[in-house]
Amino acid sequence: MSGTQYSGRPSGRPPVGEPILDRAFRLLRAFTSDGESLPLQTLAVRSGLPKSTALRIANQLLRLGALERRDDGEFVVGLHLLEIASLAPRGHGLRAAALPVMEDLHHVTRQHILLAVREGDQGVLVERLSASDATAVKYRVGGRIPLDETGIGVALLAYAPDDVRDPCLARAADPVRLRQLLAMTRSEGVCALSAPNPLASGPAFISTVAAPILDHRKEALGAISLVSPGEAGTQIPNRVAIRTASLAIARAMRGA
């Protein structure tokens, strides 16, 4: 899959007195996949804004270069947002340090190599290298990742503060299993999990092997993972590779 699926946003009028900047970000978050173009009506529905308000804010974003409008009248994310986002030190600096390591892993495995950072109670994917014939995955660069449902999310969650980790455990479908994965990550420096493949045409199981990237204070700068076909129990070589990769990226970050 090329991107996350739209999961629904509040409809109706926004809260009274909501700042214009909050409304603008609600409008921008209506875009959920690479290269997506949206008509005004969809922008309004997904952002939960009245159509007239959505149009007014969209026109302001057009003037600033945050949105662009195609010949058919639909809106797309503007290049000026990419220029600004590329300056983000937490994601961009980590990506620069990680990319050579990720490229080596990708060359050897020909599978998906993901890099993510934590933002609040979610992960954000900052890079993904994928072969054209690799097993399909759900998350796109810039997309949000649940911390309690994905390998790379668990690697981030293992070093998250209690006020992030505890709510994730409380809402997890299997909190006992999640605690086991968190303990594995902290003790072994890597976690591995597998799940049935939702695509009937592909392999029966998809596995993820992930490792946190830690600084000298043992705080997570981010996490790296490898997504491939097969069950987690068959992924011992991948565990070693991902653990080695996370250590190499951590060293590169210290030397940056």
Side-chain angles (χ1 to χ4, degrees):
M1 286 180 280
S2 62
T4 55
Q5 300 296 313
Y6 173 68
S7 58
R9 302 181 192 277
S11 60
R13 292 189 175 277
V16 175
E18 183 181 27
I20 183 66
L21 192 58
D22 290 356
R23 298 186 187 196
F25 269 88
R26 289 173 66 183
L27 199 71
L28 292 171
R29 284 195 294 267
F31 296 92
T32 58
S33 62
D34 297 339
E36 185 175 36
S37 64
L38 299 175
L40 177 62
Q41 179 63 35
T42 303
L43 275 178
V45 170
R46 289 190 179 182
S47 61
L49 296 170
K51 190 173 180 179
S52 59
T53 302
L55 178 60
R56 185 176 71 253
I57 295 174
N59 284 332
Q60 293 174 323
L61 293 171
L62 282 171
R63 289 195 294 271
L64 295 170
L67 288 181
E68 296 173 5
R69 199 163 195 177
R70 304 194 321 178
D71 291 342
D72 61 5
E74 294 194 351
F75 295 89
V76 296
V77 173
L79 282 177
H80 192 49
L81 277 186
L82 176 62
E83 295 171 349
I84 294 172
S86 68
L87 301 175
R90 192 153 60 94
H92 183 68
L94 180 64
R95 178 186 177 277
L99 201 52
V101 178
M102 295 177 67
E103 288 173 342
D104 287 345
L105 269 176
H106 178 250
H107 178 73
V108 171
T109 66
R110 304 304 298 170
Q111 295 295 334
H112 301 287
I113 311 299
L114 311 183
L115 182 71
V117 297
R118 183 179 64 83
E119 184 175 358
D121 61 355
Q122 294 179 305
V124 177
L125 191 65
V126 296
E127 185 57 272
R128 187 183 94 183
L129 301 183
S130 304
S132 59
D133 57 347
T135 303
V137 295
K138 181 177 181 179
Y139 301 103
R140 63 177 176 84
V141 174
R144 299 281 173 154
I145 299 172
L147 297 181
D148 57 334
E149 299 175 8
T150 60
I152 201 166
V154 170
L156 293 169
L157 185 62
Y159 289 88
D162 292 345
D163 61 353
V164 171
R165 189 169 57 252
D166 291 348
C168 283
L169 284 164
R171 65 173 176 262
D174 188 346
V176 173
R177 175 59 174 158
L178 180 55
R179 287 186 186 277
Q180 292 172 341
L181 290 170
L182 294 174
M184 177 196 298
T185 304
R186 290 191 290 265
S187 64
E188 301 178 20
V190 65
C191 71
L193 63 143
S194 58
N197 185 1
L199 302 178
S201 59
F205 285 88
I206 302 296
S207 73
T208 300
V209 180
I213 301 165
L214 305 179
D215 64 14
H216 66 283
R217 297 168 297 183
K218 300 300 181 183
E219 295 180 358
L221 301 168
I224 184 172
S225 73
L226 187 157
V227 181
S228 60
E231 296 192 56
T234 67
Q235 303 298 319
I236 300 301
N238 288 345
R239 294 191 194 195
V240 175
I242 284 294
R243 174 63 171 152
T244 302
S246 70
L247 294 173
I249 297 167
R251 286 194 297 270
M253 288 294 289
R254 288 195 292 271

